[in-house]
Amino acid sequence: MPRLGLPNLGLGVGLRSPHFRHVLDHWPDVDWFEVISENFIDSQGRPRSILRRVAERYPIVMHGVSMSIGSTDPLDANYLQRLKSLADEIKPVWISDHLCWTGVLGKNSHDLLPLPLNEESLSHVAQRVVAVQEFLERPLVLENPSSYVTFASSSMSEPEFLRRLSQQTGCGLLLDLNNVYVSARNHDWNTAEYLAQIPADRIVQFHLAGHTDLGTHCIDTHDGQVIDDVWKLYRRAYRGIEGGASTLLEWDARIPSFDELHAEVLRARRWIDDCQPIEDLQSESNATAVVPFSMPAATDSATDSATDSATARRAPPVLPHPPWMISAETE
Amino acid sequence: MKPLRELQSDLLHSIQSGSWPDASLQSQLLPSVQMPVEARLAVYQNAYRARLVECLHSLCPAFAAAVGSEAFQAMALEYVVENPPDSYSLNDLALRFPDFLRQTCPRENGAPWESGIFLSELARLEVCLDQVFDGPGIEDCRPWDPGPIPADQWLETRFAAAPCLTFVTFEFPIERYYSDWKQQRRAAGESPSWPAREPSWLALTRLDYRVIRIPLRSWEYQLLSALAAGHTVGAALEQLDDPTVDAESVRGCFAMSARHRFWTGIAS
């Protein structure tokens, strides 16, 4: 059954606080909203009140950044309880988070850190997904993260890891096509191979977003329009699923007006409705055709490494997603 | 191959400390065609610091404006290095910031510099504003009408305080500075100059999901915070140590507190 039997909600956008007023005043013709769970689970004030009102009119999906499903620390029971309380209140169509870890030994990086993709990680994450699903009483939907390092101990590709995780636990997948693109650029992966390996019948949702291309690598900044190469990945992945899947545009920095945001996600219609044949991604991809977990050619001297590293350190901060915070409103 | 827990611990340490990865961690990470391991790891190291500094800025914008961007960057970095986040929520990031500022500001004869106290108090106000904004409120409660309380019961009456009601005292006129900063920010002006030391008292509450700041006089703070702590009206009045306070002033103070919905009813 496609999408774990969950509905295709259509084209949605992330609900962010600069748009609260617009949404409440205009109730725009958006198919659905995704919310960052952490912006609401601890709120007993305006953000939560607004979410309750929005949830009365639109389908809502809760998307988290702090579950830390890959951490070797115990699952955070307090966090999960708050997540469940919010879900009981606003009845999201599903709950998602990322295939990542955010911290260990009680410390938090507030980043979506990658895992080595091997049997040890798979077994560890699968146990925790099962525990979370039992607690939340629903399938968890997990997103492929964008990442900037890979591990010597990885023994399988990311899509293979996700496929096996999904098979073992019954979890759904949130396929972020911008993350596929960004990680492929950063790790010399092949996007066509990635999409061919991902199990289409487990995909519940797509993410689209903009990123920053720094030449040597890409950063998942969520601060601009979706580039055509990512749209092409989207078209290919969307057509691979019977009935398509819910599609969501994320925009978390330099956030435009709501109308501009909405117009950007509506571009998806052109990409999924047109009758053009699907391009040969492999020939168009910037990534070299290496298997995802192979080791690229080692780079040269220690001097070059130090120079590159120093350059990276001096570069102006380009922030990967997350976060988006809601600031207090005062008189 | 390192066990997963050891690998995560080493990686997080390298990200949080910003340190060059040691040989054992380096051997666990792979370069890409275009980037060596150190540069790839630096993406996380740089993002960690920049993200936390940016979050601290959005939690304490008046403080950041008061010290200027360069000093803020330095103070915020020192803070996050010494206080790495341990909560899943970025909203908790600033909780220890006021104390950190007080403890680390320059000292003279064992006492913190005045500017350090002022800045710590400004950060404390911003932390309190966030807590009231996100904490429990009275928006779902019907407004309480106290009506006339019989004179013979008045002194024995205890009020139930709104859960969002918070009282704060400062050694500096922090509320006045914060209001001036907000006004000047709206007018795109410069931050106000730092005030001279002068004690101040403040009540914070939330009405219709907006945080309200109510400057108080010393005796008003004494009276209202005693009532909020559960004292009877009689006991709270007895504690007042200002002989100039008359019945008319007390009536005005109660009216003000009722207008701002400080009380949700009579406590049992």
Side-chain angles (χ1 to χ4, degrees), chain A residues 42 44 66 70 72-73 82 108 110 120 148 150 152 186 188 296 312 319-320 322 330-331, chain B residues 4-5 8 28 30-33 35 40 44 46 51 54 85 87-88 134 182 206 210-211 213:
Chain A
D42 292 326
Q44 299 177 74
S66 296
T72 49
D73 273 359
R82 286 166 183 262
N108 202 311
H110 293 288
E120 182 195 11
Y148 310 95
T150 46
N186 293 343
D188 316 304
L319 282 189
T330 60
E331 287 296 329
Chain B
L4 184 57
R5 187 163 183 78
Q8 289 185 339
Q28 302 290 315
L30 297 178
S32 68
V33 165
M35 287 178 85
R40 278 151 75 83
Y44 289 106
N46 292 336
R51 173 180 300 116
E54 184 181 295
S87 165
Y88 64 81
D134 272 331
K182 285 201 79 158
R206 199 175 76 205
R210 295 182 79 83
V211 181
R213 306 182 309 279

mmCIF file of all heavy atoms in Angstrom, chain A residues 42 44 66 70 72-73 82 108 110 120 148 150 152 186 188 296 312 319-320 322 330-331, chain B residues 4-5 8 28 30-33 35 40 44 46 51 54 85 87-88 134 182 206 210-211 213:
data_model
loop_
_atom_site.group_PDB
_atom_site.id
_atom_site.type_symbol
_atom_site.label_atom_id
_atom_site.label_comp_id
_atom_site.label_asym_id
_atom_site.label_seq_id
_atom_site.Cartn_x
_atom_site.Cartn_y
_atom_site.Cartn_z
ATOM 1 N N ASP A 42 6.418 23.007 24.067
ATOM 2 C CA ASP A 42 6.576 23.628 25.387
ATOM 3 C C ASP A 42 5.777 24.918 25.519
ATOM 4 O O ASP A 42 5.837 25.581 26.549
ATOM 5 C CB ASP A 42 8.055 23.933 25.658
ATOM 6 C CG ASP A 42 8.872 22.660 25.817
ATOM 7 O OD1 ASP A 42 8.329 21.670 26.340
ATOM 8 O OD2 ASP A 42 10.050 22.653 25.405
ATOM 9 N N GLN A 44 2.749 27.259 26.157
ATOM 10 C CA GLN A 44 1.391 27.308 26.716
ATOM 11 C C GLN A 44 0.792 28.677 26.403
ATOM 12 O O GLN A 44 -0.128 29.127 27.088
ATOM 13 C CB GLN A 44 1.449 27.072 28.223
ATOM 14 C CG GLN A 44 2.016 25.713 28.574
ATOM 15 C CD GLN A 44 2.145 25.519 30.072
ATOM 16 O OE1 GLN A 44 1.172 25.327 30.795
ATOM 17 N NE2 GLN A 44 3.366 25.596 30.562
ATOM 18 N N SER A 66 14.359 17.140 17.282
ATOM 19 C CA SER A 66 15.046 16.834 18.551
ATOM 20 C C SER A 66 14.829 15.422 19.077
ATOM 21 O O SER A 66 15.201 15.143 20.209
ATOM 22 C CB SER A 66 14.601 17.826 19.634
ATOM 23 O OG SER A 66 14.986 19.121 19.312
ATOM 24 N N GLY A 70 18.973 8.507 16.588
ATOM 25 C CA GLY A 70 20.216 7.754 16.423
ATOM 26 C C GLY A 70 21.182 7.882 17.590
ATOM 27 O O GLY A 70 22.251 7.271 17.570
ATOM 28 N N THR A 72 23.065 7.436 21.176
ATOM 29 C CA THR A 72 23.255 6.302 22.081
ATOM 30 C C THR A 72 22.861 6.677 23.515
ATOM 31 O O THR A 72 23.007 5.853 24.411
ATOM 32 C CB THR A 72 24.708 5.811 22.047
ATOM 33 O OG1 THR A 72 25.586 6.932 22.199
ATOM 34 C CG2 THR A 72 24.998 5.099 20.746
ATOM 35 N N ASP A 73 22.394 7.905 23.728
ATOM 36 C CA ASP A 73 21.753 8.231 25.009
ATOM 37 C C ASP A 73 20.368 7.595 25.025
ATOM 38 O O ASP A 73 19.782 7.340 23.955
ATOM 39 C CB ASP A 73 21.592 9.753 25.147
ATOM 40 C CG ASP A 73 22.835 10.411 25.739
ATOM 41 O OD1 ASP A 73 23.787 9.679 26.038
ATOM 42 O OD2 ASP A 73 22.830 11.648 25.887
ATOM 43 N N ARG A 82 5.808 15.031 25.834
ATOM 44 C CA ARG A 82 5.313 16.334 25.371
ATOM 45 C C ARG A 82 4.889 16.275 23.898
ATOM 46 O O ARG A 82 3.907 16.898 23.496
ATOM 47 C CB ARG A 82 6.388 17.408 25.573
ATOM 48 C CG ARG A 82 6.540 17.788 27.031
ATOM 49 C CD ARG A 82 7.803 18.576 27.296
ATOM 50 N NE ARG A 82 7.947 18.863 28.702
ATOM 51 C CZ ARG A 82 7.589 20.025 29.276
ATOM 52 N NH1 ARG A 82 7.099 20.989 28.543
ATOM 53 N NH2 ARG A 82 7.720 20.200 30.560
ATOM 54 N N ASN A 108 23.662 18.635 23.885
ATOM 55 C CA ASN A 108 22.915 18.738 22.635
ATOM 56 C C ASN A 108 23.624 19.679 21.662
ATOM 57 O O ASN A 108 24.010 20.783 22.043
ATOM 58 C CB ASN A 108 21.513 19.273 22.947
ATOM 59 C CG ASN A 108 20.528 18.919 21.880
ATOM 60 O OD1 ASN A 108 20.803 19.125 20.699
ATOM 61 N ND2 ASN A 108 19.396 18.376 22.263
ATOM 62 N N HIS A 110 22.114 20.661 18.832
ATOM 63 C CA HIS A 110 21.063 21.324 18.051
ATOM 64 C C HIS A 110 21.382 21.284 16.557
ATOM 65 O O HIS A 110 21.116 22.222 15.814
ATOM 66 C CB HIS A 110 20.795 22.737 18.555
ATOM 67 C CG HIS A 110 20.182 22.736 19.922
ATOM 68 N ND1 HIS A 110 18.887 22.350 20.139
ATOM 69 C CD2 HIS A 110 20.702 22.990 21.139
ATOM 70 C CE1 HIS A 110 18.629 22.394 21.437
ATOM 71 N NE2 HIS A 110 19.696 22.771 22.067
ATOM 72 N N GLU A 120 25.536 -2.011 12.978
ATOM 73 C CA GLU A 120 25.387 -1.594 14.376
ATOM 74 C C GLU A 120 24.387 -0.441 14.487
ATOM 75 O O GLU A 120 23.483 -0.443 15.338
ATOM 76 C CB GLU A 120 26.748 -1.150 14.946
ATOM 77 C CG GLU A 120 26.664 -0.752 16.420
ATOM 78 C CD GLU A 120 27.885 0.033 16.909
ATOM 79 O OE1 GLU A 120 28.714 0.461 16.083
ATOM 80 O OE2 GLU A 120 27.988 0.226 18.133
ATOM 81 N N TYR A 148 27.361 16.434 6.042
ATOM 82 C CA TYR A 148 28.608 17.067 5.612
ATOM 83 C C TYR A 148 29.839 16.206 5.890
ATOM 84 O O TYR A 148 30.937 16.590 5.509
ATOM 85 C CB TYR A 148 28.722 18.454 6.272
ATOM 86 C CG TYR A 148 27.449 19.240 6.065
ATOM 87 C CD1 TYR A 148 26.452 19.247 7.036
ATOM 88 C CD2 TYR A 148 27.201 19.876 4.856
ATOM 89 C CE1 TYR A 148 25.251 19.903 6.820
ATOM 90 C CE2 TYR A 148 26.003 20.539 4.623
ATOM 91 C CZ TYR A 148 25.026 20.545 5.615
ATOM 92 O OH TYR A 148 23.840 21.179 5.384
ATOM 93 N N THR A 150 31.076 11.824 6.145
ATOM 94 C CA THR A 150 30.735 10.398 6.030
ATOM 95 C C THR A 150 31.761 9.603 6.832
ATOM 96 O O THR A 150 32.798 10.141 7.222
ATOM 97 C CB THR A 150 30.749 9.936 4.555
ATOM 98 O OG1 THR A 150 31.940 10.431 3.943
ATOM 99 C CG2 THR A 150 29.533 10.422 3.807
ATOM 100 N N ALA A 152 34.129 6.095 7.798
ATOM 101 C CA ALA A 152 34.859 4.948 7.260
ATOM 102 C C ALA A 152 34.144 3.643 7.590
ATOM 103 O O ALA A 152 34.281 2.647 6.873
ATOM 104 C CB ALA A 152 36.279 4.930 7.847
ATOM 105 N N ASN A 186 27.879 16.751 -1.548
ATOM 106 C CA ASN A 186 28.905 16.758 -0.501
ATOM 107 C C ASN A 186 29.683 15.448 -0.427
ATOM 108 O O ASN A 186 30.816 15.432 0.026
ATOM 109 C CB ASN A 186 28.272 17.046 0.861
ATOM 110 C CG ASN A 186 27.726 18.457 0.935
ATOM 111 O OD1 ASN A 186 28.080 19.306 0.111
ATOM 112 N ND2 ASN A 186 26.860 18.710 1.899
ATOM 113 N N ASP A 188 29.809 13.032 -3.048
ATOM 114 C CA ASP A 188 30.086 12.433 -4.356
ATOM 115 C C ASP A 188 29.176 11.233 -4.612
ATOM 116 O O ASP A 188 29.599 10.212 -5.164
ATOM 117 C CB ASP A 188 31.576 12.026 -4.460
ATOM 118 C CG ASP A 188 32.491 13.104 -3.916
ATOM 119 O OD1 ASP A 188 32.396 14.245 -4.408
ATOM 120 O OD2 ASP A 188 33.266 12.826 -2.983
ATOM 121 N N PRO A 296 36.189 8.283 -1.522
ATOM 122 C CA PRO A 296 36.713 9.056 -2.628
ATOM 123 C C PRO A 296 38.234 9.093 -2.554
ATOM 124 O O PRO A 296 38.807 8.759 -1.516
ATOM 125 C CB PRO A 296 36.159 10.459 -2.394
ATOM 126 C CG PRO A 296 35.148 10.318 -1.317
ATOM 127 C CD PRO A 296 35.482 9.082 -0.559
ATOM 128 N N ALA A 312 37.496 27.146 5.427
ATOM 129 C CA ALA A 312 36.140 26.849 5.893
ATOM 130 C C ALA A 312 35.858 27.557 7.201
ATOM 131 O O ALA A 312 34.764 28.043 7.443
ATOM 132 C CB ALA A 312 35.977 25.344 6.059
ATOM 133 N N LEU A 319 24.290 28.891 7.847
ATOM 134 C CA LEU A 319 23.730 27.974 8.822
ATOM 135 C C LEU A 319 22.871 26.895 8.185
ATOM 136 O O LEU A 319 21.896 27.191 7.509
ATOM 137 C CB LEU A 319 22.834 28.734 9.815
ATOM 138 C CG LEU A 319 23.558 29.505 10.902
ATOM 139 C CD1 LEU A 319 22.568 30.002 11.922
ATOM 140 C CD2 LEU A 319 24.616 28.654 11.559
ATOM 141 N N PRO A 320 23.254 25.642 8.403
ATOM 142 C CA PRO A 320 22.337 24.581 7.980
ATOM 143 C C PRO A 320 21.071 24.621 8.819
ATOM 144 O O PRO A 320 21.099 25.049 9.965
ATOM 145 C CB PRO A 320 23.121 23.290 8.260
ATOM 146 C CG PRO A 320 24.517 23.698 8.587
ATOM 147 C CD PRO A 320 24.449 25.107 9.055
ATOM 148 N N PRO A 322 18.556 22.916 11.346
ATOM 149 C CA PRO A 322 17.582 23.870 11.871
ATOM 150 C C PRO A 322 18.286 25.083 12.449
ATOM 151 O O PRO A 322 19.486 25.186 12.272
ATOM 152 C CB PRO A 322 16.950 23.018 12.983
ATOM 153 C CG PRO A 322 18.059 22.143 13.487
ATOM 154 C CD PRO A 322 18.941 21.903 12.308
ATOM 155 N N THR A 330 6.057 41.134 23.215
ATOM 156 C CA THR A 330 5.800 41.975 24.378
ATOM 157 C C THR A 330 5.157 43.274 23.930
ATOM 158 O O THR A 330 5.272 43.666 22.767
ATOM 159 C CB THR A 330 7.110 42.295 25.114
ATOM 160 O OG1 THR A 330 7.969 42.983 24.206
ATOM 161 C CG2 THR A 330 7.787 41.035 25.600
ATOM 162 N N GLU A 331 4.484 43.929 24.876
ATOM 163 C CA GLU A 331 3.901 45.244 24.586
ATOM 164 C C GLU A 331 5.017 46.253 24.397
ATOM 165 O O GLU A 331 6.064 46.142 25.014
ATOM 166 C CB GLU A 331 2.996 45.690 25.743
ATOM 167 C CG GLU A 331 1.691 44.916 25.793
ATOM 168 C CD GLU A 331 0.826 45.163 24.568
ATOM 169 O OE1 GLU A 331 0.878 46.263 24.001
ATOM 170 O OE2 GLU A 331 0.090 44.251 24.191
ATOM 171 N N LEU B 4 29.622 2.821 18.369
ATOM 172 C CA LEU B 4 28.839 4.016 18.021
ATOM 173 C C LEU B 4 28.895 5.068 19.124
ATOM 174 O O LEU B 4 29.041 6.265 18.856
ATOM 175 C CB LEU B 4 27.384 3.594 17.742
ATOM 176 C CG LEU B 4 26.439 4.690 17.273
ATOM 177 C CD1 LEU B 4 26.949 5.369 16.005
ATOM 178 C CD2 LEU B 4 25.034 4.110 17.036
ATOM 179 N N ARG B 5 28.788 4.627 20.379
ATOM 180 C CA ARG B 5 28.747 5.613 21.469
ATOM 181 C C ARG B 5 30.061 6.398 21.558
ATOM 182 O O ARG B 5 30.059 7.614 21.755
ATOM 183 C CB ARG B 5 28.449 4.922 22.804
ATOM 184 C CG ARG B 5 28.219 5.914 23.934
ATOM 185 C CD ARG B 5 27.532 5.272 25.111
ATOM 186 N NE ARG B 5 27.241 6.212 26.166
ATOM 187 C CZ ARG B 5 26.238 7.079 26.169
ATOM 188 N NH1 ARG B 5 25.429 7.166 25.134
ATOM 189 N NH2 ARG B 5 26.034 7.893 27.189
ATOM 190 N N GLN B 8 30.214 8.859 18.652
ATOM 191 C CA GLN B 8 29.349 10.027 18.866
ATOM 192 C C GLN B 8 29.967 10.970 19.899
ATOM 193 O O GLN B 8 29.933 12.198 19.739
ATOM 194 C CB GLN B 8 27.953 9.564 19.311
ATOM 195 C CG GLN B 8 27.178 8.886 18.181
ATOM 196 C CD GLN B 8 25.744 8.536 18.561
ATOM 197 O OE1 GLN B 8 25.407 8.436 19.740
ATOM 198 N NE2 GLN B 8 24.909 8.326 17.546
ATOM 199 N N GLN B 28 38.174 7.907 11.414
ATOM 200 C CA GLN B 28 36.794 7.430 11.296
ATOM 201 C C GLN B 28 36.008 8.174 10.215
ATOM 202 O O GLN B 28 34.926 7.761 9.835
ATOM 203 C CB GLN B 28 36.045 7.616 12.632
ATOM 204 C CG GLN B 28 36.673 6.915 13.817
ATOM 205 C CD GLN B 28 36.527 5.415 13.718
ATOM 206 O OE1 GLN B 28 35.460 4.908 13.406
ATOM 207 N NE2 GLN B 28 37.610 4.702 13.959
ATOM 208 N N LEU B 30 35.642 10.333 6.456
ATOM 209 C CA LEU B 30 36.154 10.269 5.088
ATOM 210 C C LEU B 30 36.155 11.653 4.454
ATOM 211 O O LEU B 30 35.236 12.448 4.695
ATOM 212 C CB LEU B 30 35.272 9.348 4.237
ATOM 213 C CG LEU B 30 35.208 7.878 4.637
ATOM 214 C CD1 LEU B 30 34.243 7.131 3.722
ATOM 215 C CD2 LEU B 30 36.594 7.249 4.569
ATOM 216 N N PRO B 31 37.144 11.927 3.626
ATOM 217 C CA PRO B 31 37.095 13.168 2.845
ATOM 218 C C PRO B 31 36.156 12.994 1.657
ATOM 219 O O PRO B 31 35.748 11.872 1.338
ATOM 220 C CB PRO B 31 38.544 13.322 2.367
ATOM 221 C CG PRO B 31 39.050 11.916 2.269
ATOM 222 C CD PRO B 31 38.333 11.121 3.337
ATOM 223 N N SER B 32 35.795 14.094 1.022
ATOM 224 C CA SER B 32 35.107 13.994 -0.276
ATOM 225 C C SER B 32 36.140 14.308 -1.345
ATOM 226 O O SER B 32 37.294 14.617 -1.039
ATOM 227 C CB SER B 32 33.946 14.987 -0.345
ATOM 228 O OG SER B 32 34.438 16.305 -0.370
ATOM 229 N N VAL B 33 35.706 14.278 -2.580
ATOM 230 C CA VAL B 33 36.650 14.590 -3.654
ATOM 231 C C VAL B 33 37.182 16.016 -3.486
ATOM 232 O O VAL B 33 38.346 16.295 -3.702
ATOM 233 C CB VAL B 33 35.952 14.410 -5.022
ATOM 234 C CG1 VAL B 33 36.760 15.062 -6.131
ATOM 235 C CG2 VAL B 33 35.746 12.921 -5.306
ATOM 236 N N MET B 35 36.800 18.056 -0.575
ATOM 237 C CA MET B 35 37.067 18.578 0.775
ATOM 238 C C MET B 35 37.741 17.546 1.672
ATOM 239 O O MET B 35 37.278 16.405 1.758
ATOM 240 C CB MET B 35 35.757 19.007 1.434
ATOM 241 C CG MET B 35 35.166 20.284 0.879
ATOM 242 S SD MET B 35 33.606 20.645 1.686
ATOM 243 C CE MET B 35 34.167 21.493 3.139
ATOM 244 N N ARG B 40 35.368 19.355 6.272
ATOM 245 C CA ARG B 40 34.003 18.835 6.386
ATOM 246 C C ARG B 40 33.520 18.941 7.827
ATOM 247 O O ARG B 40 32.385 19.353 8.091
ATOM 248 C CB ARG B 40 33.965 17.375 5.890
ATOM 249 C CG ARG B 40 33.850 17.292 4.355
ATOM 250 C CD ARG B 40 34.484 16.050 3.790
ATOM 251 N NE ARG B 40 33.751 14.803 3.972
ATOM 252 C CZ ARG B 40 32.755 14.375 3.199
ATOM 253 N NH1 ARG B 40 32.282 15.146 2.223
ATOM 254 N NH2 ARG B 40 32.205 13.195 3.393
ATOM 255 N N TYR B 44 30.277 21.565 10.629
ATOM 256 C CA TYR B 44 29.497 21.364 11.858
ATOM 257 C C TYR B 44 30.006 22.262 12.979
ATOM 258 O O TYR B 44 29.211 22.812 13.749
ATOM 259 C CB TYR B 44 29.566 19.892 12.294
ATOM 260 C CG TYR B 44 28.791 18.969 11.390
ATOM 261 C CD1 TYR B 44 29.439 18.133 10.495
ATOM 262 C CD2 TYR B 44 27.394 18.941 11.427
ATOM 263 C CE1 TYR B 44 28.731 17.286 9.659
ATOM 264 C CE2 TYR B 44 26.676 18.095 10.594
ATOM 265 C CZ TYR B 44 27.347 17.266 9.713
ATOM 266 O OH TYR B 44 26.629 16.432 8.889
ATOM 267 N N ASN B 46 31.543 25.197 12.806
ATOM 268 C CA ASN B 46 31.140 26.591 12.587
ATOM 269 C C ASN B 46 29.648 26.769 12.788
ATOM 270 O O ASN B 46 29.199 27.751 13.375
ATOM 271 C CB ASN B 46 31.502 27.030 11.157
ATOM 272 C CG ASN B 46 33.003 27.107 10.948
ATOM 273 O OD1 ASN B 46 33.762 27.263 11.902
ATOM 274 N ND2 ASN B 46 33.432 26.978 9.702
ATOM 275 N N ARG B 51 24.999 28.999 15.157
ATOM 276 C CA ARG B 51 23.589 28.756 15.457
ATOM 277 C C ARG B 51 23.259 29.170 16.890
ATOM 278 O O ARG B 51 22.285 29.858 17.145
ATOM 279 C CB ARG B 51 23.267 27.278 15.250
ATOM 280 C CG ARG B 51 21.866 26.892 15.710
ATOM 281 C CD ARG B 51 21.586 25.428 15.487
ATOM 282 N NE ARG B 51 21.684 25.096 14.078
ATOM 283 C CZ ARG B 51 22.576 24.280 13.571
ATOM 284 N NH1 ARG B 51 23.448 23.671 14.347
ATOM 285 N NH2 ARG B 51 22.582 24.031 12.286
ATOM 286 N N GLU B 54 23.387 32.918 17.305
ATOM 287 C CA GLU B 54 22.202 33.522 16.679
ATOM 288 C C GLU B 54 20.960 33.309 17.545
ATOM 289 O O GLU B 54 20.139 34.221 17.704
ATOM 290 C CB GLU B 54 21.995 32.891 15.296
ATOM 291 C CG GLU B 54 20.854 33.507 14.505
ATOM 292 C CD GLU B 54 20.664 32.825 13.154
ATOM 293 O OE1 GLU B 54 21.574 32.930 12.331
ATOM 294 O OE2 GLU B 54 19.619 32.193 12.945
ATOM 295 N N PRO B 85 24.645 23.385 25.461
ATOM 296 C CA PRO B 85 23.229 23.104 25.706
ATOM 297 C C PRO B 85 22.991 21.664 26.154
ATOM 298 O O PRO B 85 23.625 20.740 25.651
ATOM 299 C CB PRO B 85 22.553 23.362 24.359
ATOM 300 C CG PRO B 85 23.605 23.723 23.401
ATOM 301 C CD PRO B 85 24.914 23.810 24.098
ATOM 302 N N SER B 87 19.535 20.831 26.794
ATOM 303 C CA SER B 87 18.088 20.666 26.635
ATOM 304 C C SER B 87 17.760 20.439 25.168
ATOM 305 O O SER B 87 18.472 20.915 24.282
ATOM 306 C CB SER B 87 17.379 21.935 27.114
ATOM 307 O OG SER B 87 16.045 21.954 26.674
ATOM 308 N N TYR B 88 16.656 19.725 24.906
ATOM 309 C CA TYR B 88 16.233 19.565 23.517
ATOM 310 C C TYR B 88 15.714 20.877 22.946
ATOM 311 O O TYR B 88 15.538 21.013 21.740
ATOM 312 C CB TYR B 88 15.146 18.471 23.395
ATOM 313 C CG TYR B 88 13.868 18.809 24.120
ATOM 314 C CD1 TYR B 88 12.926 19.644 23.551
ATOM 315 C CD2 TYR B 88 13.607 18.288 25.380
ATOM 316 C CE1 TYR B 88 11.760 19.961 24.210
ATOM 317 C CE2 TYR B 88 12.442 18.605 26.058
ATOM 318 C CZ TYR B 88 11.521 19.444 25.460
ATOM 319 O OH TYR B 88 10.361 19.771 26.133
ATOM 320 N N ASP B 134 5.859 31.916 27.130
ATOM 321 C CA ASP B 134 5.619 30.499 26.829
ATOM 322 C C ASP B 134 4.946 29.738 27.956
ATOM 323 O O ASP B 134 4.513 28.603 27.771
ATOM 324 C CB ASP B 134 6.960 29.802 26.516
ATOM 325 C CG ASP B 134 7.316 29.910 25.039
ATOM 326 O OD1 ASP B 134 6.385 29.981 24.216
ATOM 327 O OD2 ASP B 134 8.515 29.941 24.724
ATOM 328 N N LYS B 182 13.044 49.493 23.039
ATOM 329 C CA LYS B 182 12.013 49.061 22.083
ATOM 330 C C LYS B 182 11.547 50.247 21.243
ATOM 331 O O LYS B 182 11.341 50.121 20.029
ATOM 332 C CB LYS B 182 10.820 48.464 22.839
ATOM 333 C CG LYS B 182 11.097 47.084 23.384
ATOM 334 C CD LYS B 182 9.830 46.320 23.657
ATOM 335 C CE LYS B 182 9.276 45.769 22.373
ATOM 336 N NZ LYS B 182 8.384 44.639 22.533
ATOM 337 N N ARG B 206 0.604 38.241 31.473
ATOM 338 C CA ARG B 206 0.290 38.027 30.056
ATOM 339 C C ARG B 206 -1.207 38.198 29.850
ATOM 340 O O ARG B 206 -2.017 37.581 30.562
ATOM 341 C CB ARG B 206 0.717 36.632 29.640
ATOM 342 C CG ARG B 206 0.861 36.479 28.137
ATOM 343 C CD ARG B 206 1.392 35.117 27.771
ATOM 344 N NE ARG B 206 0.359 34.109 27.883
ATOM 345 C CZ ARG B 206 0.607 32.817 28.090
ATOM 346 N NH1 ARG B 206 1.848 32.392 28.227
ATOM 347 N NH2 ARG B 206 -0.387 31.959 28.172
ATOM 348 N N ARG B 210 -0.031 38.359 25.074
ATOM 349 C CA ARG B 210 1.071 39.327 24.990
ATOM 350 C C ARG B 210 1.603 39.591 26.381
ATOM 351 O O ARG B 210 0.831 39.754 27.332
ATOM 352 C CB ARG B 210 0.600 40.628 24.340
ATOM 353 C CG ARG B 210 0.181 40.437 22.891
ATOM 354 C CD ARG B 210 -0.228 41.751 22.271
ATOM 355 N NE ARG B 210 0.933 42.533 21.888
ATOM 356 C CZ ARG B 210 1.603 42.356 20.749
ATOM 357 N NH1 ARG B 210 1.227 41.423 19.903
ATOM 358 N NH2 ARG B 210 2.634 43.112 20.447
ATOM 359 N N VAL B 211 2.918 39.660 26.488
ATOM 360 C CA VAL B 211 3.543 39.887 27.798
ATOM 361 C C VAL B 211 3.443 41.376 28.138
ATOM 362 O O VAL B 211 3.762 42.238 27.309
ATOM 363 C CB VAL B 211 5.014 39.438 27.789
ATOM 364 C CG1 VAL B 211 5.644 39.665 29.157
ATOM 365 C CG2 VAL B 211 5.113 37.968 27.393
ATOM 366 N N ARG B 213 4.444 44.454 30.845
ATOM 367 C CA ARG B 213 5.380 44.876 31.898
ATOM 368 C C ARG B 213 4.748 46.020 32.677
ATOM 369 O O ARG B 213 4.330 47.025 32.077
ATOM 370 C CB ARG B 213 6.704 45.338 31.276
ATOM 371 C CG ARG B 213 7.350 44.340 30.359
ATOM 372 C CD ARG B 213 8.683 44.841 29.815
ATOM 373 N NE ARG B 213 8.621 46.174 29.216
ATOM 374 C CZ ARG B 213 8.188 46.417 27.981
ATOM 375 N NH1 ARG B 213 7.773 45.431 27.210
ATOM 376 N NH2 ARG B 213 8.166 47.646 27.526
#
